[in-house]
Amino acid sequence: MVLLACISAFVLVVVLSFAGNHKQDRPLREIYKPVDVQGIGDDVLKVHTGIYVNRIHDVDRASGTFSANGWLWMSWDKPSDDDWLDGEISIDTIKFMNEIPNASKRDKLIDEPQEQYGGRMWQSMRFSSTFLMNNQDFSRFPFENVELPIEIGSDAFAVDDVVYLPNLKDSLVSDRLSLSGFEFRGLEARNFSHSITSKWGHSIDPDSPEDQTHWAYPHLEWVMQFSRLSSSSIARLFTPVFAAMVVLMFSLLVNLNVASSKISIPASVLLVLAVLQDRSHRLLPPDITYLTYMDKIYMFCYVLTLISFVSSLYCVNRVNLAPEESRPALMISLRSHQRALVAWMCLSLIVMPLILWTFQFD
């Protein structure tokens, strides 16, 4: 009874942990709004911006940083002579919003904006810097995606005056750009306005409409998207777990007269699962505070292993404690129950991973 109570408590903890990945709510301090390109007025200067990423390196998911180099350019309609923006726009007004301070190297290809065909201005630069990743989510591990963002913006102009539009036609990454263990999925541009819920120390009349508004600035985020290779994840992580579960199920089919094997195999599988789980954690940053998809697969396998261990222990004890004349009939009945358990485990190993994946992201 004590053993069953301990196992029931363990199963309860596992079930409760499945719902424990919720992030703590906190007050909204920043506002990001997508820019409606169709709704931009004629009085807003549209600065078309493009990027070419040549290399990425030193990707450190534990610290959430990566380094990249390439080229960035911008073009815009030349403002009229009486426009206050005349002479104010240049490549210097663009800031890398998510770079590490003092880690950036920028070289302008031309010192001043150049007028080109159709009265458009153009300027570009070469960059090399270390950037911060966005909030990383490892809950899908080992099928998670990795996003490496390069975010540009300006605090010199409000979004009502200037908007950065992505030049998707000419923006791309090098064919030699790669991330070990991941497959490049594409380059995405996210255009939005960014505001902070602060008055920056200004004294504003509480009855003034400005008291409820905040300056919004134009931002443009270029995101390099990668996904982990499914084939390597299955081969390196799921295949050993599946093999351990197959061994576990075969242990239930071992003759009840071989008591040592029926008891020792589930105990050995528990040790193997613990070692495999520890090895899988080496692919992740340390101190993750929530369960990944792979962790939940391991938790489910732990439960199956404990059920098999208890079942084998119960059956062996029943046979050993039964009278000699009733043992043959009892062994037939217990073997039937264990074969039914094997069938149930086979079905659950197929269905449960799909259920966990479905409810992981509700």
Side-chain angles (χ1 to χ4, degrees), residues 40-58:
I40 299 176
D42 295 335
D43 55 338
V44 178
L45 182 64
K46 304 175 183 65
V47 179
H48 294 264
T49 308
I51 195 172
Y52 174 78
V53 182
N54 184 45
R55 288 290 187 277
I56 58 171
H57 56 94
D58 296 335

Side-chain angles (χ1 to χ4, degrees), residues 51-71 96 98-105 127-134 136 146-151 173-174 176-180 222 224 226:
I51 195 172
Y52 174 78
V53 182
N54 184 45
R55 288 290 187 277
I56 58 171
H57 56 94
D58 296 335
V59 179
D60 187 349
R61 301 179 72 191
S63 62
T65 61
F66 71 98
S67 298
N69 65 71
W71 289 263
F96 289 112
N98 65 325
E99 73 174 352
I100 301 295
N102 303 321
S104 177
K105 296 180 180 179
F127 69 89
S128 176
S129 188
T130 300
F131 301 93
L132 291 169
M133 301 181 192
N134 294 331
Q136 301 182 80
V146 171
E147 293 188 346
L148 304 183
I150 298 178
E151 183 181 343
V173 302
S174 170
R176 293 179 291 178
L177 184 145
S178 63
L179 179 60
S180 178
W222 294 100
M224 292 168 283
F226 297 83

Side-chain angles (χ1 to χ4, degrees), residues 75-193:
S75 65
W76 65 98
D77 290 329
K78 182 179 180 180
S80 58
D81 294 336
D82 59 347
D83 194 326
W84 71 272
L85 287 172
D86 184 33
E88 297 293 326
I89 304 296
S90 73
I91 201 77
D92 293 323
T93 61
I94 286 184
K95 310 296 182 184
F96 289 112
M97 309 306 294
N98 65 325
E99 73 174 352
I100 301 295
N102 303 321
S104 177
K105 296 180 180 179
R106 302 171 56 157
D107 298 313
K108 290 187 290 187
L109 298 187
I110 53 176
D111 291 333
E112 298 294 334
Q114 223 173 51
E115 186 171 351
Q116 295 191 320
Y117 176 78
R120 289 186 63 80
M121 306 300 293
W122 182 91
Q123 195 175 15
S124 68
M125 69 174 175
R126 184 186 297 110
F127 69 89
S128 176
S129 188
T130 300
F131 301 93
L132 291 169
M133 301 181 192
N134 294 331
N135 293 330
Q136 301 182 80
D137 184 7
F138 300 98
S139 60
R140 292 176 180 261
F141 173 81
F143 302 112
E144 81 278 22
N145 297 324
V146 171
E147 293 188 346
L148 304 183
I150 298 178
E151 183 181 343
I152 64 171
S154 174
D155 54 6
F157 310 103
V159 74
D160 294 333
D161 299 319
V162 175
V163 170
Y164 295 112
L165 297 182
N167 180 357
L168 295 172
K169 179 180 179 181
D170 290 332
S171 297
L172 68 161
V173 302
S174 170
D175 291 334
R176 293 179 291 178
L177 184 145
S178 63
L179 179 60
S180 178
F182 290 82
E183 181 180 7
F184 178 70
R185 291 297 186 185
L187 180 67
E188 181 184 355
R190 299 170 184 170
N191 197 334
F192 53 89
S193 65

